[in-house]
Amino acid sequence: VKYALGDKAEVSFPSTLVNFSMIAADNNQITVELWRGNTKGAVSIPVTITDKTGGVFTPEKAQFDFADGENKAYLTFTYPDLTQFGGEKYEIELVVTDDSQVSPNGNEKMKIFAQRKLTFKSLGTGTFTSEFFEESWPQIVQKAEEAEYYRLPDCYYKGYPIEFSVKDGKISFAKQPMGYNHSTYGMVSWDPSYLEYCEIDGKTYTFVANFVIPDGRSFGGYYEVLEMP
């Protein structure tokens, strides 16, 4: 059956996921696209914006505006000066408010992830001691040149770095997969439930991480200790 365009805009996001590496040349903004198949007339397509950035990113409007004949429209988000960012990853979700305007097999929603692009340099090799696994190992420590943001590459498992920041002498980290894929429960993540108990004493960085599974349950909090190089 041949599909014929009707009066709808027949819109679609180009993908369900887009990642932005924020750099100074971006002038403190990111821009996303919405496409349409029916280019007749000017039309505005409202979107529902779920802001998971705590208000850090501000949309210029809440719709995509197509001019007559155009098959692409744009929506820009602005954010504060780049120097205020560490390595945090921010998430925004867009959903076409009127799903009847979405083309057959089109993408009605898109997740946006944005993170400052950082340049990591090695500080050397320290020692990581895990209460969770009851063992210690040599651990490379990397630091971003642009911020007090640190990375422990391949910490527990290859391909799964542990990342954290330090501000005013306090450790902070986001929820992040640590690489342990439990045969029954799935991927285990560090969760920042117990940040208040993390501390720095000289070169000893003590993380109290809640080891959670995808359904929200937890193995509990464990002391994971990094001796800096």
Side-chain angles (χ1 to χ4, degrees), residues 5-209:
L5 290 175
D7 296 329
K8 303 298 184 181
E10 311 292 346
V11 301
S12 176
F13 288 108
S15 66
T16 57
L17 176 68
V18 62
N19 287 287
F20 288 95
S21 293
M22 299 147 57
I23 58 175
D26 294 333
N27 295 317
N28 302 332
Q29 62 183 31
I30 59 175
T31 300
V32 294
E33 297 181 358
L34 183 68
W35 298 349
R36 68 167 173 165
N38 185 354
T39 60
K40 293 180 181 179
V43 65
S44 294
I45 303 296
V47 288
T48 301
I49 302 171
T50 303
D51 178 10
K52 299 181 180 181
T53 74
V56 174
F57 286 73
T58 305
E60 62 175 350
K61 52 190 178 182
Q63 77 275 347
F64 288 83
D65 297 316
F66 293 89
D68 184 22
E70 286 185 342
N71 65 352
K72 292 182 182 180
Y74 304 91
L75 177 59
T76 296
F77 291 81
T78 59
Y79 54 83
D81 190 271
L82 197 60
T83 59
Q84 297 183 30
F85 290 83
E88 312 84 14
K89 181 176 283 190
Y90 293 91
E91 179 183 349
I92 305 165
E93 184 176 80
L94 303 181
V95 181
V96 176
T97 305
D98 181 2
D99 61 7
S100 71
Q101 295 282 5
V102 179
S103 66
N105 302 316
N107 300 315
E108 70 171 325
K109 65 175 62 175
M110 179 169 68
K111 286 187 176 182
I112 303 165
F113 291 98
Q115 186 176 27
R116 182 181 182 182
K117 186 175 182 179
L118 299 173
T119 307
F120 285 95
K121 294 291 181 69
S122 176
L123 296 179
T125 301
T127 301
F128 193 89
T129 301
S130 171
E131 182 185 26
F132 185 77
F133 284 113
E134 297 183 339
E135 59 180 298
S136 298
W137 55 84
Q139 178 62 56
I140 294 173
V141 181
Q142 299 174 337
K143 181 185 177 299
E145 292 184 334
E146 301 88 348
E148 290 294 313
Y149 195 82
Y150 298 82
R151 174 189 287 167
L152 309 179
D154 305 328
C155 185
Y156 297 97
Y157 291 90
K158 187 173 179 60
Y160 289 88
I162 293 295
E163 299 185 353
F164 65 95
S165 61
V166 175
K167 184 175 182 180
D168 299 326
K170 300 291 185 180
I171 293 172
S172 181
F173 59 85
K175 183 178 179 180
Q176 54 193 298
M178 46 77 73
Y180 176 34
N181 197 357
H182 193 280
S183 58
T184 301
Y185 303 122
M187 180 59 69
V188 179
S189 295
W190 266 30
D191 185 274
S193 305
Y194 305 123
L195 281 181
E196 61 186 296
Y197 301 108
C198 300
E199 62 181 19
I200 298 173
D201 182 9
K203 290 191 173 185
T204 303
Y205 286 51
T206 300
F207 306 86
V208 185

